[in-house]
Amino acid sequence: MMTDVEPASITATAPAGPPRRRIFSGIQPSGIVHLGNDLGAIRNYVALQEEFEAIYCIVDYHALTSLHDSDALRRQTREMAASLLALGLDPDRCTLFVQSHRPEHAELAWLLCTVTPVSWLERTPTYKEKKAQQPDDVNHGLLTYPVLQAADIVIYKATTVPVGKDQAAHLELTREIVRAFNNRYGETFPEPQAVYTETPTVLGTDGVRKMSKSLGNTIEILAEPEVIRKQVMSMVTDTQRILRTDPGRPEVCNVCQLHRWFGPDWEEIQDGERTARTGCVDTKKLLAERISRHYAPARERYLELMANPAEIDGILEAGADRLRPKAEATMAEVRERMGLR
């Protein structure tokens, strides 16, 4: 953890603990978070801030590859920051900032572009997906997105990156870019290692696709209880269970799978579905109630933060200021190695 205050004094004989490994992760400013964001990433962020020197970034530069509404970008960036803080990120235990507040990221990305073959970028799954999703807006940023992603990580010489296993290919490309730079200009950056999240892909309310705002299949965990109830009650369950008396298949029922995150009796709930002791409607009602109750404190904190935007902005500015020495030191080293200064 990096702080702006002097460390507490210690006796000369007190042993110094080993430095904590530095971890970095970025998240898109997509506004208020949903259940998939929390289970798939944010809970892990909160846990890792206790073990690592954790740096978390709201990646607004990345968002510009698909979001071109400046007012929406500002609003969604603040909403994402408030969501992260409400769900447990602690500015005293981690560094939270906005990508564009440290413009060194963009400079380093350009310099890394000069060691990155175009063919590496054209083969990335994300580029292919984005081309299909926005065929009328295939901008250069979509192609070079992974280079900026690499710059985000290595500018702080982070050693570890939390990722889902479906994102392993993206991190491997960062490692390839690091190797290319180090081979050309000398050892400069560590090759970041993955720490995998244990949470499987969180399916949306349609029960088929990954939970995503763009697909309209989310559960808005910081919304009012009635909104959560409506979204949960719309969830697709076991499509082969037609009648209330039919036995269910909890292993394919999204509602049953989500229960494991909100109560110790999830196995009993699954058994009730399997033996037809309980119906899907009852199981949904219980899940909605538990999700609403679980996130009630975070919902209250989120509303407090959004009512005081100066508090959010202050935390983000302090995070960027805290990182300035590291970003500037890395860029000075890179420029010297590349013959720019």
Side-chain angles (χ1 to χ4, degrees):
M1 178 180 68
M2 297 165 285
T3 63
D4 294 326
V5 298
E6 291 297 319
S9 60
I10 56 175
T11 63
T13 57
R20 294 194 297 172
R21 288 180 293 165
R22 186 173 298 156
I23 196 167
F24 179 94
S25 187
I27 189 168
Q28 284 268 3
S30 55
I32 306 173
V33 301
H34 55 71
L35 183 61
N37 298 140
D38 187 41
L39 297 183
I42 299 171
R43 288 192 182 189
N44 200 39
Y45 287 179
V46 173
L48 292 171
Q49 71 182 348
E50 304 298 335
E51 181 182 353
F52 292 86
E53 179 189 352
I55 301 173
Y56 298 126
C57 179
I58 301 174
V59 290
D60 55 344
Y61 279 156
H62 287 292
L64 290 172
T65 61
S66 57
L67 177 61
H68 308 306
D69 182 329
S70 56
D71 290 335
L73 180 58
R74 292 188 190 97
R75 182 186 70 253
Q76 291 177 196
T77 297
R78 185 174 284 154
E79 288 172 343
M80 176 56 71
S83 298
L84 292 170
L85 294 166
L87 288 167
L89 287 196
D90 184 346
D92 292 329
R93 291 181 169 84
C94 70
T95 299
L96 177 64
F97 75 112
V98 178
Q99 186 182 31
S100 64
H101 293 182
R102 287 264 54 89
E104 295 89 348
H105 287 232
E107 180 185 0
L108 181 56
W110 169 251
L111 299 179
L112 293 179
C113 277
T114 67
V115 302
T116 306
V118 174
S119 60
W120 289 4
L121 304 176
E122 289 176 328
R123 75 186 186 210
T124 59
T126 301
Y127 178 57
K128 297 173 183 177
E129 291 168 8
K130 288 292 186 180
K131 281 174 60 179
Q133 290 171 2
Q134 50 187 76
D136 297 326
D137 185 20
V138 185
N139 55 75
H140 185 269
L142 293 178
L143 181 66
T144 54
Y145 190 110
V147 185
L148 178 55
Q149 193 173 54
D152 294 336
I153 297 167
V154 304
I155 195 167
Y156 305 113
K157 301 198 175 182
T159 57
T160 313
V161 181
V163 294
K165 292 189 176 179
D166 60 333
Q167 301 168 309
H170 298 165
L171 183 59
E172 184 53 37
L173 180 54
T174 291
R175 290 162 54 82
E176 288 182 318
I177 293 171
V178 165
R179 286 193 289 270
F181 187 94
N182 289 347
N183 287 338
R184 184 171 296 178
Y185 294 108
E187 288 296 320
T188 307
F189 302 114
E191 291 187 29
Q193 305 296 317
V195 55
Y196 292 110
T197 60
E198 296 300 323
T199 307
T201 298
V202 180
L203 297 180
T205 53
D206 55 13
V208 177
R209 297 171 296 179
K210 184 176 180 179
M211 190 172 288
S212 168
K213 285 186 179 180
S214 64
L215 298 174
N217 64 355
T218 62
I219 297 173
E220 300 172 38
I221 54 178
L222 300 181
E224 293 299 317
E226 180 56 29
V227 173
I228 294 174
R229 189 197 69 79
K230 184 177 180 180
Q231 291 172 340
V232 173
M233 295 305 294
S234 73
M235 292 178 70
V236 174
T237 55
D238 180 358
T239 56
Q240 292 186 19
R241 190 182 186 192
I242 308 301
L243 301 176
R244 166 67 175 76
T245 53
D246 292 339
R249 299 175 299 158
E251 64 277 3
V252 302
C253 173
N254 197 22
V255 175
C256 286
Q257 292 302 309
L258 287 179
H259 262 289
R260 70 177 61 222
W261 301 104
F262 297 101
D265 58 346
W266 60 270
E267 290 180 309
E268 181 181 340
I269 290 169
Q270 290 195 2
D271 187 66
E273 289 288 300
R274 187 178 293 109
T275 59
R277 288 199 318 274
T278 56
C280 294
V281 171
D282 293 333
T283 307
K284 288 181 181 181
K285 286 181 179 178
L286 180 59
L287 179 62
E289 176 188 331
R290 288 181 171 182
I291 289 176
S292 181
R293 184 168 63 245
H294 177 85
Y295 289 107
R299 186 181 312 122
E300 182 177 352
R301 177 58 177 151
Y302 174 82
L303 293 174
E304 290 174 356
L305 286 163
M306 290 302 292
N308 185 14
E311 181 179 355
I312 302 171
D313 295 347
I315 290 170
L316 297 175
E317 290 169 10
D321 288 345
R322 190 181 301 168
L323 292 171
R324 179 192 296 271
K326 286 183 169 57
E328 290 181 343
T330 297
M331 291 313 304
E333 180 184 4
V334 168
R335 295 186 199 110
E336 192 279 330
R337 286 184 178 275
M338 298 183 77
L340 298 174
R341 294 282 176 88

